[in-house]
Amino acid sequence: MAAVQGGMSDADIETDIKTEPSTDGFGNNNANDGRVLSASPGSGSSTGSNKQTAAVTPEDQQTLLAVLQFLKKNKLIESVEILRREAGLPENSLDPKATESAGAGSGGAAGIVDLEGGDVSSLLSRVTGSSSAGAQAPTKAVAEDQPDVRVVLSAYSQQGDPTLYEVYYSDLKKFIETVLDCHRAELSQVFYPLFVHMYLELVYNNHESEAKAFFEKFSGDQECYYEEDLRVLSGLTKKEHMRGNETLLDFRTSKFVLRISRDSYQLLKRHLQERQNNQIWNIIQEHLYIDIFDGMPRSKSQIDAMSGSLAGEAKREANKTKVYYGLLKEPEIELPLDDEDEEAENEEGKPKKKKPKKDSMGSKSKKQDPNAPSQNRIPLPELKDSDKLDKIMYMKEATKRIRLGSDNLPSVCFYTFLNAYQGLTAVDFTDDSSLIAGGFADSTVRVWSVTPKKLRKVKSAADLNLIDKESDDVLERIMDEKTASESKIMYGHSGPVYGISFSPDRNYLLSSSEDGTVRLWSLLTFTCLVAYKGHNYPVWDTQFSPYGYYFVSGGHDRVARLWATDHYQPLRIFSGHLADITCTRFHPNSNYVATGSSDRTIRVWDVLSGNCVRIFTGHKGPIHSLAFSPNGKFLASGATDGRVLLWDIGHGLMMGELKGHTDTIYSLRFSRDGEILASGSMDNTVRLWDVMKAFDDLETDDFTAATGHIHLQDNSQELLLGTYTTKSTPVIHLHFTRRNLLLAAGVSQL
Amino acid sequence: MSAMAEERRQKHCSVVLPTESMKAMAESVGVGQLQEDSCVALSEEVSYRIKEIAQDALKFMHHGKRRKLTTSDIDNALKLKNVEPLYGFQSQEFIPFRFASGGGRELHFYEEKEVDLSDIINTPLPRVPLDVSLKAHWLSIEGMQPAIPENPPPATKEQQKVESTEPLKVVKPGQEEEGTIQGKGQGTTTPDGKGQCLGLIRLKPRSTHELSVEQQLYYKEITEACVGSCEAKRAEALQSIATDPGLYQMLPRFSTFISEGVRVNVVQNNLALLIYLMRMVKALMDNPTLYLEKYLHELIPAVVTCIVSKQLCLRPDVDNHWALRDFAARLMAQSCKTFSTTTNNIQSRITKTFTKSWLDDKTQWTTRYGCIAGLAELGPDVIKTLIIPRLAIEGARIKAVMEGPVISNIDKIGAEHVQSLLLLSPKYPIPYHHLFI
């Protein structure tokens, strides 16, 4: 991105402001909004083509020229010819001088082309930068992938008297401070976005000293959770800084969403119109989205619970889509061997144990959950024999599972990584808790076996030929006994490994790294099978679907991608977050994906359509951990602010807030039955929460789902079941074994 | 409100590099005579870019799950911006910059020493760092955190201190965040501590001193080893007392054991056992996870007994009970130093006790010795104000015994020891190690 902005000269911006009417700028803004909501490759490309056919805008022409220039530079003469013919451009359009004369003659659109001509390199870098997105056509990429900087900035061209900004702002402040208490909290929400926009406007129009004065005067009034953003803003004092600043672009391209009751809104509107306060009114009109609702104004605590994200709250419509959060029907597997095994293992208590289990399994599979997606909503891989065996193992283990509750807490086994020299960046356990994988800052991926069973590689091809393929224990025979060891190292990445995930069948391992790739490793040969390229920037997290085959990744480029292991290009691109995607999680039914981001929002995406179906706001810091409850109904999220928030996916509402941690929460996990939530944090503690109680308390209350307001109880202390402090080991991963033993992992800081 | 706002405004004040740095940097790359305007423009731009990079680097730190920003984070942030990272910018020291001034200018620079390659080639290879390994331990067993060395002590020393010195503080509502919640599920507080202490009245959690079977076994083993005959076992046991983090709950037992042990063995004049018990006190005091304040009422009398008791052994003329007195005096001084506060006044009370019996003419030489040793250990101030003024009187008394008619051998030996002690006392430390190690 830096290259794009770096290459642009002041002159272009000036021209753009003059030639492009401001309504055009809006059109573009809306287009971006559209992009947010329809992000699947299919729908994305259709909008792209619509654009092209609509009219050959100057924009498109520029792009074409840029492409031509690029082709020519690379001596692809034939392609140049073809493309030129198709686009109907004059032969000499590539010659800068000729363009100049043409521009002088025809004016208008060509004029822009002319000015852009000198800037082809910057355009090119934009094209090349985003064309690697794969399926997207380069032209579309220019139009859509990057928010158009100049257009965005041009919206600031309106000139007002810089000295009056303070007057306007303090006038509004005075007004809001004097309105009735019930409206004050709601109207106060306006302060922050107004403050930022007014400040940026001052900066854009080169009123540096006024901008500084404005900032100093009013920055202290803003809510404390905007601290981080204010720090970024305070550094930004020059027009030149605005180009290339992502935070700013985010703020501009997306309208800040506020929820205000109708009464309060009317009050504000009346006041601004009375005072002829056009400056502020314009900002509200152009850059704010006010979601008006009928009914009682919200209280300060209600507002505080939901605000804090980079672009305000989620619009109510954003969370209206139906989400099929139910679980998929479990395939019915006969358990013939099971009985005998069980009998052999423990004679007494067997009949008691077996019966309820079978009943519960039976009833579950017979009754179709109305909230569950249909079984084939997304194609899932078929069960292999080995998967069935694993399922049987799982059920056996499940019968021995400890029922947890507030009076029956799980035991915690802590795995400390020693001698990692602060280099451990990611950890994952297999579902059956037999393997641990660690991603390290030195680019390596290591796998440990925590059972006596050692890790073995498959024999070489020559040796495999010698094996009797008909024998019963062929799977045992293919393993090379000489390679048995407790741990294996895998080399391949060229940067710290930030995300790691085992496939459910334990044959594969995924890792995502700073080098922009996601790698798939075989746990049979301990070699890299595929490097999935597409992100180009650090990939912060990746996770396998609970059914295998699919996986999701998200990173610094603000998009999450859905992949299938046998496709080298992503199947879906989920775009809409305004900052880095920091963590990604699959819904237990594999139909949805949740992503947490540095923009302090959580989004839930539909894997089928690629649409964003939920936006959760309320965190005051980048989100670093997510966990779905085993029944698929709830989502828990943890952030750098040390709070865990609980969400109801079906209603799209916040369910609770768990306060207690004093540092970033890097790990969250529900117990196998969903009664207890474990959270692990940088503050060296593992905490256990009684989420059953949290959910029950709220479910008895009536949801005021219509307005989406909730009253959060401050009952974190009652819900906290235990705090376990390590000596000096931040907890970076948690995992419940199938029997509900909690495993934790971290690297000692001693 | 305004104060807070003020504070925050301070934080947001944009810091800009001084223009002098720009000039210095320009000179370092061969650009002389940089215009003042360009300097200002440059410094603002550079400061802004540095802040941007710092923000990105922070992201890498967070994802690296660290609290410390490293040079590699900065490198990665630069890579994000398509800037070539600063390869090889690693430093052995925390702040690698050097300061220089001259010609009215001050400068911080990065020292690049010339390195002789042959030196590097000829130095033997450093040891290969240990490979990453995994270690598992129980962080919690069914909600209780076991007291093992891998886990932090169940009640931190600070917590124990607060509990014992300011018991009311723990009860105060509003402070319960750390106090009561931390204790939950850790076995140190009430058994019904799980989420039920929610009533409006917050009671100070009652400490239960029921020991688990393992703890009882441990206690038995340790106490037996401490007073047993095997020196190797004893050393091990004392080592365990001095380092084990999970002894908090056993502390009352140990304290009673020591106090009762001293009481019995003083009567029986069992010097060896008294020494063993004092060594246990020392080990308890050495344990960094224990705060003994609550048990001083038992420990101090025991220690003082070992300092000033008339008779500590069966044959006072032969046995070296003097060393025990010295050792106990040291312990006393140590606990005065650690636990004396304005409320408990340990130091002054102890000083008074010692002085009183020392001043008494009828005091035996053994007790006299103990008093002086106890005082001498309390530091130069005590020596200066209490011992030195009495040196002459004491000297005369010793002379009387030494040169006068022999009444008893024991008195003579006592006087000799007091004499040597008085001669020694200004010189620290009093040697006592020969007996105990």
Side-chain angles (χ1 to χ4, degrees):
Chain A
M1 196 168 283
V4 179
Q5 276 86 39
M8 214 162 338
S9 68
D10 247 16
D12 322 329
I13 294 180
E14 297 292 313
T15 0
D16 280 327
I17 293 158
K18 281 172 206 149
T19 49
E20 284 187 58
S22 59
T23 44
D24 206 321
F26 273 106
N28 203 308
N29 260 351
N30 293 341
N32 276 322
D33 282 357
R35 174 182 63 95
V36 167
L37 289 172
S38 63
S40 84
S43 59
S45 61
S46 72
T47 50
S49 60
N50 280 346
K51 253 202 157 176
Q52 271 186 346
T53 50
V56 183
T57 58
E59 190 96 341
D60 284 338
Q61 202 162 358
Q62 288 169 30
T63 319
L64 270 174
L65 279 180
V67 173
L68 284 172
Q69 193 94 7
F70 173 78
L71 292 172
K72 200 175 174 190
K73 211 166 152 192
N74 287 294
K75 308 262 185 306
L76 301 163
I77 309 292
E78 273 180 50
S79 319
V80 172
E81 279 302 313
I82 294 166
L83 183 60
R84 194 191 294 149
R85 237 177 288 135
E86 295 233 333
L89 286 177
E91 190 130 344
N92 56 1
S93 61
L94 269 183
D95 185 358
K97 277 179 198 157
T99 332
E100 210 164 44
S101 61
S106 60
I112 297 169
V113 172
D114 159 34
L115 277 157
E116 282 293 315
D119 203 41
V120 166
S121 58
S122 77
L123 256 173
L124 273 181
S125 61
R126 224 194 300 182
V127 173
T128 45
S130 46
S131 64
S132 46
Q136 292 169 314
T139 45
K140 198 197 101 208
V142 172
E144 293 203 271
D145 217 39
Q146 299 281 339
D148 200 314
V149 188
R150 286 152 298 139
V151 176
V152 166
L153 292 184
S154 70
Y156 274 136
S157 62
Q158 54 171 309
Q159 286 281 350
D161 188 346
T163 48
L164 285 180
Y165 275 59
E166 282 189 24
V167 180
Y168 289 146
Y169 190 88
S170 38
D171 182 50
L172 183 75
K173 195 172 141 188
K174 228 176 274 161
F175 161 70
I176 290 178
E177 273 165 9
T178 51
V179 296
L180 286 175
D181 281 359
C182 60
H183 299 299
R184 194 186 301 149
E186 283 207 316
L187 292 181
S188 300
Q189 297 178 83
V190 177
F191 282 138
Y192 175 69
L194 263 187
F195 168 78
V196 178
H197 282 291
M198 288 174 91
Y199 175 73
L200 291 178
E201 225 168 272
L202 284 171
V203 171
Y204 182 78
N205 292 316
N206 285 326
H207 304 302
E208 198 181 324
S209 51
E210 282 91 349
K212 272 186 184 159
F214 183 77
F215 189 91
E216 263 168 45
K217 187 152 184 203
F218 299 114
S219 66
D221 301 344
Q222 309 305 326
E223 297 286 352
C224 52
Y225 37 82
Y226 293 119
E227 188 100 355
E228 288 277 297
D229 293 346
L230 288 178
R231 196 171 300 140
V232 176
L233 271 184
S234 71
L236 191 139
T237 50
K238 287 213 180 312
K239 191 176 171 183
E240 292 77 36
H241 296 160
M242 292 173 81
R243 270 179 268 133
N245 188 309
E246 291 157 29
T247 320
L248 161 69
L249 282 180
D250 296 339
F251 211 85
R252 308 295 304 156
T253 47
S254 58
K255 286 190 169 187
F256 197 94
V257 182
L258 302 170
R259 274 192 216 173
I260 293 184
S261 70
R262 188 170 297 283
D263 294 351
S264 307
Y265 179 69
Q266 295 294 354
L267 250 152
L268 178 72
K269 198 172 163 187
R270 209 176 314 133
H271 168 79
L272 291 175
Q273 279 170 351
E274 267 171 26
R275 289 297 182 97
Q276 302 274 302
N277 203 337
N278 284 330
Q279 201 76 28
I280 288 184
W281 187 240
N282 280 343
I283 292 178
I284 292 182
Q285 294 272 294
E286 288 173 23
H287 302 303
L288 267 53
Y289 178 95
I290 299 189
D291 195 0
I292 301 163
F293 62 85
D294 294 303
M296 285 283 290
R298 294 187 296 171
S299 70
K300 175 96 178 99
S301 63
Q302 280 175 323
I303 292 168
D304 279 348
M306 300 295 285
S307 54
S309 102
L310 195 61
E313 294 181 39
K315 297 174 194 173
R316 268 172 303 153
E317 297 88 77
N319 287 342
K320 287 276 191 266
T321 328
K322 176 158 175 62
V323 173
Y324 301 98
Y325 55 79
L327 301 184
L328 294 179
K329 212 164 62 179
E330 285 292 319
E332 281 171 43
I333 299 168
E334 295 290 309
L335 298 165
L337 291 167
D338 194 27
D339 294 53
E340 290 158 34
D341 273 17
E342 197 107 315
E343 250 169 312
E345 250 171 56
N346 49 336
E347 294 107 60
E348 50 184 313
K350 171 213 70 185
K352 264 185 231 158
K353 264 187 196 164
K354 291 237 36 117
K355 275 202 175 152
K357 184 210 81 191
K358 265 205 168 157
D359 283 352
S360 68
M361 295 307 299
S363 63
K364 219 184 247 171
S365 50
K366 267 173 220 150
K367 217 197 299 161
Q368 175 68 34
D369 185 347
N371 290 311
S374 64
Q375 208 69 10
N376 50 4
R377 190 165 176 269
I378 60 162
L380 291 172
E382 271 181 34
L383 281 185
K384 291 177 294 204
D385 286 347
S386 57
D387 297 332
K388 283 181 187 157
L389 276 177
D390 196 54
K391 276 255 167 353
I392 291 169
M393 275 306 290
Y394 174 81
M395 285 175 191
K396 268 199 226 165
E397 292 273 300
T399 58
K400 292 174 195 157
R401 183 181 296 164
I402 300 162
R403 282 204 74 81
L404 298 178
S406 52
D407 46 358
N408 198 7
L409 296 178
S411 300
V412 189
C413 178
F414 202 99
Y415 285 95
T416 313
F417 285 78
L418 300 171
N419 311 319
Y421 310 107
Q422 302 220 335
L424 182 73
T425 41
V427 182
D428 194 30
F429 288 88
T430 52
D431 187 67
D432 69 349
S433 318
S434 63
L435 304 175
I436 299 183
F440 291 83
D442 63 359
S443 319
T444 57
V445 174
R446 288 166 193 254
V447 183
W448 279 268
S449 167
V450 286
T451 56
K453 203 175 147 192
K454 297 215 165 148
L455 298 172
R456 294 170 301 175
K457 287 185 194 175
V458 168
K459 284 179 184 163
S460 67
D463 291 336
L464 284 176
N465 266 332
L466 305 173
I467 298 174
D468 173 15
K469 287 166 195 74
E470 303 302 315
S471 72
D472 289 339
D473 59 343
V474 66
L475 285 177
E476 192 58 30
R477 287 191 187 198
I478 59 169
M479 306 311 287
D480 189 353
E481 215 43 65
K482 277 179 292 204
T483 59
S485 64
E486 259 170 39
S487 80
K488 291 262 185 275
I489 309 180
M490 299 187 278
Y491 301 99
H493 281 297
S494 60
V497 179
Y498 291 117
I500 203 160
S501 173
F502 279 106
S503 73
D505 61 6
R506 294 188 295 284
N507 285 331
Y508 304 104
L509 178 71
L510 273 176
S511 63
S512 70
S513 159
E514 186 270 337
D515 63 13
T517 62
V518 179
R519 279 176 189 267
L520 182 75
W521 309 84
S522 162
L523 296 182
L524 290 171
T525 58
F526 293 97
T527 51
C528 182
L529 302 175
V530 197
Y532 300 94
K533 293 175 184 170
H535 276 291
N536 286 334
Y537 286 104
V539 190
W540 298 131
D541 199 9
T542 185
Q543 203 210 4
F544 252 114
S545 146
Y547 293 88
Y549 186 59
Y550 300 107
F551 64 93
V552 62
S553 65
H556 178 72
D557 59 0
R558 308 163 187 211
V559 291
R561 285 158 209 255
L562 179 88
W563 312 73
T565 46
D566 57 359
H567 288 61
Y568 67 91
Q569 286 186 335
L571 303 182
R572 293 284 182 275
I573 293 180
F574 306 118
S575 92
H577 275 298
L578 301 175
D580 298 34
I581 289 179
T582 45
C583 51
T584 53
R585 279 288 164 275
F586 255 100
H587 190 275
N589 69 18
S590 195
N591 278 261
Y592 297 92
V593 163
T595 55
S597 163
S598 305
D599 68 9
R600 308 188 284 272
T601 62
I602 299 150
R603 283 171 186 253
V604 180
W605 310 86
D606 188 343
V607 166
L608 182 69
S609 65
N611 289 338
C612 175
V613 291
R614 289 287 179 270
I615 303 175
F616 296 132
T617 63
H619 272 298
K620 319 288 187 237
I623 289 139
H624 273 278
S625 52
L626 289 171
F628 279 100
S629 69
N631 61 9
K633 269 170 115 173
F634 308 109
L635 179 68
S637 59
T640 52
D641 57 9
R643 300 180 315 144
V644 177
L645 295 182
L646 303 170
W647 310 92
D648 180 298
I649 299 168
H651 295 93
L653 288 176
M654 192 192 288
M655 298 275 293
E657 179 189 25
L658 305 173
K659 284 189 280 192
H661 281 294
T662 55
D663 209 331
T664 310
I665 296 160
Y666 278 117
S667 183
L668 280 171
R669 197 58 77 109
F670 281 92
S671 66
R672 292 282 174 157
D673 297 316
E675 292 108 337
I676 282 185
L677 177 70
S679 59
S681 156
M682 200 67 190
D683 65 8
N684 299 350
T685 57
V686 174
R687 284 171 203 251
L688 302 175
W689 309 89
D690 189 351
V691 281
M692 256 352 237
K693 191 169 170 203
F695 295 144
D696 288 346
D697 285 358
L698 222 88
E699 266 168 336
T700 48
D701 289 6
D702 217 1
F703 264 143
T704 46
T707 49
H709 309 156
I710 53 141
H711 295 274
L712 277 189
Q713 295 164 291
D714 190 15
N715 57 354
S716 305
Q717 306 237 338
E718 295 168 41
L719 299 176
L720 181 66
L721 295 177
T723 304
Y724 307 103
T725 315
T726 66
K727 244 182 176 171
S728 70
T729 311
V731 186
I732 64 173
H733 192 77
L734 292 167
H735 173 81
F736 273 98
T737 67
R738 290 170 175 179
R739 298 185 187 189
N740 264 340
L741 168 71
L742 181 59
L743 305 180
V747 63
S748 173
Q749 303 275 311
L750 278 180
Chain B
M1 165 76 193
S2 66
M4 252 177 72
E6 197 62 42
E7 215 171 273
R8 273 171 50 196
R9 227 167 278 165
Q10 290 276 314
K11 252 201 240 167
H12 287 304
C13 249
S14 41
V15 184
V16 175
L17 292 172
T19 50
E20 287 78 39
S21 323
M22 293 303 125
K23 278 195 187 138
M25 280 178 221
E27 273 168 32
S28 74
V29 293
V31 181
Q33 302 305 317
L34 203 61
Q35 296 276 313
E36 192 62 32
D37 294 352
S38 341
C39 279
V40 173
L42 261 178
S43 71
E44 284 184 2
E45 177 68 14
V46 169
S47 313
Y48 176 71
R49 297 296 162 200
I50 288 179
K51 278 179 202 167
E52 247 187 357
I53 288 166
Q55 273 164 18
D56 279 339
L58 218 58
K59 235 178 238 179
F60 283 95
M61 181 192 80
H62 275 300
H63 283 280
K65 281 134 186 156
R66 278 178 276 113
R67 286 197 195 90
K68 217 185 267 169
L69 193 75
T70 63
T71 47
S72 63
D73 291 330
I74 308 250
D75 286 351
N76 285 333
L78 286 169
K79 260 161 95 182
L80 271 192
K81 300 232 170 276
N82 259 333
V83 182
E84 191 162 354
L86 301 159
Y87 291 112
F89 203 95
Q90 258 114 12
S91 166
Q92 304 287 320
E93 294 143 273
F94 186 56
I95 300 172
F97 297 102
R98 297 280 167 277
F99 178 72
S101 61
R105 287 188 16 191
E106 295 181 332
L107 192 64
H108 288 270
F109 65 96
Y110 183 65
E111 194 177 29
E112 287 177 292
K113 278 187 200 146
E114 273 183 29
V115 183
D116 192 356
L117 272 182
S118 59
D119 279 357
I120 296 179
I121 294 165
N122 292 331
T123 46
L125 285 175
R127 275 204 301 162
V128 180
L130 292 169
D131 199 16
V132 186
S133 59
L134 263 182
K135 186 177 188 302
H137 75 267
W138 288 108
L139 185 67
S140 141
I141 296 170
E142 290 174 0
M144 303 273 274
Q145 190 159 28
I148 47 174
E150 285 88 348
N151 285 330
T156 60
K157 211 168 172 186
E158 278 72 49
Q159 222 175 302
Q160 292 176 37
K161 187 172 179 178
V162 170
E163 243 172 63
S164 48
T165 52
E166 286 157 286
L168 284 174
K169 218 174 177 180
V170 189
V171 194
K172 266 188 205 161
Q175 299 230 339
E176 75 281 356
E177 270 97 312
E178 291 312 306
T180 49
I181 294 300
Q182 283 251 321
K184 236 188 247 180
Q186 292 190 351
T188 51
T189 47
T190 51
D192 57 342
K194 282 171 199 155
Q196 281 151 16
C197 53
L198 314 162
L200 286 171
I201 307 157
R202 280 185 186 275
L203 292 173
K204 179 174 177 271
R206 180 164 43 89
S207 306
T208 51
H209 293 301
E210 276 165 35
L211 300 184
S212 65
V213 181
E214 294 84 0
Q215 282 173 324
Q216 285 174 30
L217 274 175
Y218 173 85
Y219 174 78
K220 193 165 159 265
E221 284 286 316
I222 288 285
T223 45
E224 274 171 11
C226 277
V227 296
S229 55
C230 174
E231 183 56 36
K233 252 190 173 176
R234 177 162 31 254
E236 230 172 85
L238 290 173
Q239 173 73 18
S240 171
I241 295 178
T243 53
D244 222 306
L247 298 183
Y248 174 61
Q249 289 178 75
M250 279 175 264
L251 204 46
R253 315 284 170 122
F254 279 126
S255 145
T256 315
F257 177 80
I258 292 165
S259 134
E260 288 295 310
V262 168
R263 201 200 311 249
V264 171
N265 287 299
V266 160
V267 177
Q268 296 182 350
N269 291 326
N270 193 336
L271 180 65
L273 273 177
L274 288 173
I275 290 173
Y276 299 152
L277 290 168
M278 284 304 107
R279 285 170 76 181
M280 269 180 88
V281 176
K282 169 112 175 76
L284 285 174
M285 280 172 124
D286 284 347
N287 191 322
T289 65
L290 295 177
Y291 192 74
L292 300 179
E293 145 92 40
K294 268 201 267 185
Y295 309 98
L296 291 181
H297 66 282
E298 286 187 311
L299 293 177
I300 286 189
V303 175
V304 173
T305 307
C306 289
I307 301 175
V308 297
S309 176
K310 265 186 275 182
Q311 202 176 349
L312 289 169
C313 48
L314 288 172
R315 294 169 300 165
D317 46 342
V318 189
D319 288 335
N320 192 349
H321 58 97
W322 311 105
L324 173 62
R325 291 175 200 275
D326 288 341
F327 183 67
R330 281 218 123 191
L331 287 178
M332 196 59 241
Q334 197 186 330
S335 45
C336 281
K337 219 164 118 198
T338 331
F339 302 108
S340 189
T341 61
T342 43
T343 25
N344 62 19
N345 272 327
I346 296 177
Q347 170 133 6
S348 65
R349 280 156 69 189
I350 289 292
T351 318
K352 259 183 220 152
T353 317
F354 285 148
T355 329
K356 207 178 136 210
S357 50
W358 184 23
L359 294 180
D360 193 342
D361 277 342
K362 289 182 197 109
T363 311
Q364 298 259 336
W365 280 105
T366 45
T367 310
R368 198 172 286 277
Y369 177 90
C371 291
I372 298 170
L375 287 173
E377 287 290 348
L378 290 175
D381 280 346
V382 179
I383 294 174
K384 210 167 135 193
T385 49
L386 292 172
I387 300 183
I388 300 208
R390 279 195 57 89
L391 271 181
I393 306 165
E394 203 56 35
R397 195 196 297 273
I398 293 167
K399 221 173 178 181
V401 175
M402 303 283 265
E403 289 168 6
V406 179
I407 305 154
S408 90
N409 195 27
I410 292 168
D411 274 357
K412 202 171 172 212
I413 295 168
E416 264 170 22
H417 272 95
V418 171
Q419 184 187 29
S420 61
L421 176 68
L422 287 173
L423 291 174
L424 262 175
S425 60
K427 291 181 241 149
Y428 269 63
I430 293 174
Y432 62 92
H433 287 285
H434 56 275
L435 225 200
F436 298 95
I437 288 158

